[in-house]
Amino acid sequence: AAAGAVAAAAAHPGTLVAASGDGTVGHLCLRSFKTLGQSDTLDDELLSVCVMKRGKKTLAGSQTGVLNVFDYGKWEDPSDRFPGHPSSIDALVKVDEDTVLTGSSDGIIRVIGVLPNKMLGVVGEHGDMPVERMALSPDRTALATASHDHTIKLWDVKYLFEEGGAGLRASGDGDDDEGDASLRAELGGAAVDGGDDSDDSDSEGGGGKRKRKKKEKKSKMAGSGEARAAAKKQAAKKFFDGL
């Protein structure tokens, strides 16, 4: 299995799922060091893996940009396939039981809804260079991504964990929701802004809540270069201190 192409689930302690470049997914027991199950060989390299749906589903990202969905424990063939990535899916990070982040060789970090399968938005990109590794900070507010461009970038992903699930899931349900989704995608594409006032409007009620939230976030995006640099440094320190 390629580095990073392994995953474990709390629902299945003592076991590990691994995706391999030979086109198979393997289910391994860490106690007996035995193979509990293995999929048939797909005509595609499998580069990344993630366990979701409370241990009931396993996702495997492929060289051709297809997300293969396996029923956990029934490894013979995928139960579902989700094409759509134009390039290979090199990294997967679980957001919640219904949402996953994908890092692709086209340099784009996408937000994907799983069953129903849907592309929800974009967190950011590394230009045209492949995204090889991704990891969430312990407090789940920042995403670190490593790429062939020799950089590690930090992204503000607090919006993915806002009340109601993944922050981009509501896109397409109306003009206001589309505006929110677009803004969240824009915020995700910026480096981590840090600060403690990003959620101040959450405690306020009334119909103006969404508009105030938009204004605050847009104001934050328009902050001075010095303030942004200081916030980046603070967020980076917080992220690495938690590792």
Side-chain angles (χ1 to χ4, degrees), residues 146-166:
S147 170
H148 282 194
D149 61 6
H150 306 294
T151 64
I152 295 176
K153 292 186 177 182
L154 299 177
W155 311 92
D156 184 347
V157 292
K158 291 191 294 292
Y159 60 93
L160 292 177
F161 302 95
E162 290 176 354
E163 184 178 356

Side-chain angles (χ1 to χ4, degrees), residues 3 11 26 45 52 69-70 73 79 95 113 115 123 156 158 178 208 220 238:
E45 293 184 37
M52 300 185 65
V69 183
F70 292 86
S79 60
V95 175
L115 298 175
V123 170
D156 184 347
K158 291 191 294 292
E178 287 176 2
K220 186 180 293 185
K238 183 177 180 181

Side-chain angles (χ1 to χ4, degrees), residues 44 60-69 78 80-87 89 102 110 112-113 117-119:
D44 201 356
S62 74
Q63 179 69 35
T64 58
V66 175
L67 267 178
N68 297 278
V69 183
D80 198 4
R81 298 173 75 254
F82 179 34
H85 289 72
S87 303
I89 304 171
T102 64
R110 296 174 173 87
I112 305 295
N117 302 328
K118 183 179 180 181
M119 287 200 178

Side-chain angles (χ1 to χ4, degrees), residues 104-115:
S104 183
S105 59
D106 64 0
I108 298 177
I109 305 147
R110 296 174 173 87
V111 187
I112 305 295
V114 179
L115 298 175

Side-chain angles (χ1 to χ4, degrees), residues 29-211:
C29 178
L30 299 179
R31 297 187 180 95
S32 63
F33 299 102
K34 292 183 179 179
T35 300
L36 301 177
Q38 188 171 13
S39 71
D40 293 339
T41 302
L42 302 180
D43 190 21
D44 201 356
E45 293 184 37
L46 300 181
L47 307 175
S48 52
V49 69
C50 182
V51 179
M52 300 185 65
K53 299 291 183 179
R54 296 172 179 82
K56 296 179 180 179
K57 299 290 183 180
T58 297
L59 306 183
S62 74
Q63 179 69 35
T64 58
V66 175
L67 267 178
N68 297 278
V69 183
F70 292 86
D71 293 333
Y72 201 102
K74 301 177 181 178
W75 305 108
E76 290 78 11
D77 295 299
S79 60
D80 198 4
R81 298 173 75 254
F82 179 34
H85 289 72
S87 303
S88 63
I89 304 171
D90 298 336
L92 291 170
V93 168
K94 174 180 170 181
V95 175
D96 56 33
E97 301 300 337
D98 303 308
T99 317
V100 68
L101 301 177
T102 64
S104 183
S105 59
D106 64 0
I108 298 177
I109 305 147
R110 296 174 173 87
V111 187
I112 305 295
V114 179
L115 298 175
N117 302 328
K118 183 179 180 181
M119 287 200 178
L120 301 175
V122 172
V123 170
E125 61 178 299
H126 278 263
D128 295 327
M129 304 303 289
V131 177
E132 286 288 326
R133 300 287 183 271
M134 303 193 300
L136 282 170
S137 63
D139 61 3
R140 300 170 74 81
T141 62
L143 175 73
T145 59
S147 170
H148 282 194
D149 61 6
H150 306 294
T151 64
I152 295 176
K153 292 186 177 182
L154 299 177
W155 311 92
D156 184 347
V157 292
K158 291 191 294 292
Y159 60 93
L160 292 177
F161 302 95
E162 290 176 354
E163 184 178 356
L168 294 173
R169 185 170 293 281
S171 64
D173 293 336
D175 292 341
D176 289 341
D177 287 337
E178 287 176 2
D180 282 353
S182 175
L183 179 60
R184 286 171 181 139
E186 182 183 3
L187 281 169
V192 176
D193 285 323
D196 296 328
D197 60 342
S198 60
D199 293 321
D200 286 348
S201 60
D202 287 348
S203 60
E204 299 177 14
K209 175 182 176 182
R210 183 175 293 156
K211 291 182 180 179

